[in-house]
Amino acid sequence: MDRFGGGFAYIDEKVDGDVINLVGVTGKTGPLTAIDQSIPAMVTPKNPTSGTTRWWLSKPAASPPGS
Protein backbone atom coordinates (compact mmCIF):
# COMPACT_ATOMS: atom_id res chain seq x y z
CA MET A 1 0.00 0.00 0.00
CA ASP A 2 1.05 3.58 -0.62
CA ARG A 3 1.73 5.23 2.73
CA PHE A 4 0.70 8.58 1.23
CA GLY A 5 -2.82 7.39 0.35
CA GLY A 6 -4.55 7.07 -2.98
CA GLY A 7 -6.24 4.32 -4.92
CA PHE A 8 -5.39 0.68 -5.23
CA ALA A 9 -5.44 -1.21 -8.57
CA TYR A 10 -5.55 -4.97 -9.10
CA ILE A 11 -6.33 -7.56 -11.77
CA ASP A 12 -8.76 -10.33 -10.82
CA GLU A 13 -7.57 -13.41 -12.73
CA LYS A 14 -10.74 -15.35 -11.79
CA VAL A 15 -13.08 -12.90 -13.56
CA ASP A 16 -11.22 -11.63 -16.62
CA GLY A 17 -7.49 -11.03 -16.89
CA ASP A 18 -8.06 -8.00 -19.13
CA VAL A 19 -9.94 -5.95 -16.51
CA ILE A 20 -8.14 -3.65 -14.06
CA ASN A 21 -10.13 -2.90 -10.91
CA LEU A 22 -9.62 0.42 -9.07
CA VAL A 23 -10.55 0.74 -5.42
CA GLY A 24 -10.53 3.91 -3.35
CA VAL A 25 -8.72 3.44 -0.06
CA THR A 26 -10.19 5.20 2.96
CA GLY A 27 -8.66 5.82 6.33
CA LYS A 28 -5.84 7.84 7.75
CA THR A 29 -2.97 8.73 5.42
CA GLY A 30 0.42 10.21 6.12
CA PRO A 31 0.93 13.99 6.31
CA LEU A 32 1.85 16.09 3.28
CA THR A 33 5.63 15.92 2.89
CA ALA A 34 8.27 16.89 0.36
CA ILE A 35 9.69 13.57 -0.81
CA ASP A 36 12.15 15.22 -3.21
CA GLN A 37 13.34 18.78 -3.74
CA SER A 38 15.85 20.83 -5.66
CA ILE A 39 16.84 24.14 -4.08
CA PRO A 40 19.73 26.18 -5.48
CA ALA A 41 22.55 26.99 -3.09
CA MET A 42 22.81 30.54 -4.40
CA VAL A 43 20.33 32.98 -5.95
CA THR A 44 21.60 35.85 -8.14
CA PRO A 45 19.24 38.88 -8.40
CA LYS A 46 20.42 39.61 -11.98
CA ASN A 47 19.53 36.07 -13.09
CA PRO A 48 15.91 35.28 -12.11
CA THR A 49 16.15 31.63 -13.22
CA SER A 50 18.99 31.05 -10.75
CA GLY A 51 16.40 30.79 -7.97
CA THR A 52 14.25 28.12 -9.63
CA THR A 53 13.18 25.46 -7.15
CA ARG A 54 11.42 22.11 -7.59
CA TRP A 55 9.30 20.32 -4.99
CA TRP A 56 7.86 16.80 -5.36
CA LEU A 57 5.08 16.39 -2.81
CA SER A 58 3.70 13.15 -1.41
CA LYS A 59 0.14 13.98 -2.56
CA PRO A 60 -1.67 16.64 -4.60
CA ALA A 61 -1.72 20.09 -3.01
CA ALA A 62 -2.93 23.57 -3.94
CA SER A 63 -2.02 27.07 -2.90
CA PRO A 64 -4.54 28.94 -0.76
CA PRO A 65 -6.64 31.53 -2.67
CA GLY A 66 -4.93 34.90 -2.94
CA SER A 67 -1.40 33.63 -2.38
Side-chain angles (χ1 to χ4, degrees), residues 14-59:
K14 294 177 187 174
V15 177
D16 186 357
D18 295 333
V19 176
I20 298 174
N21 299 288
L22 300 175
V23 179
V25 178
T26 59
K28 188 175 179 181
T29 62
L32 178 67
T33 57
I35 55 178
D36 189 31
Q37 60 190 0
S38 173
I39 303 172
M42 182 185 249
V43 177
T44 309
K46 292 182 180 181
N47 184 0
T49 60
S50 69
T52 303
T53 60
R54 178 187 49 78
W55 299 87
W56 183 11
L57 301 177
S58 59
K59 58 179 104 180

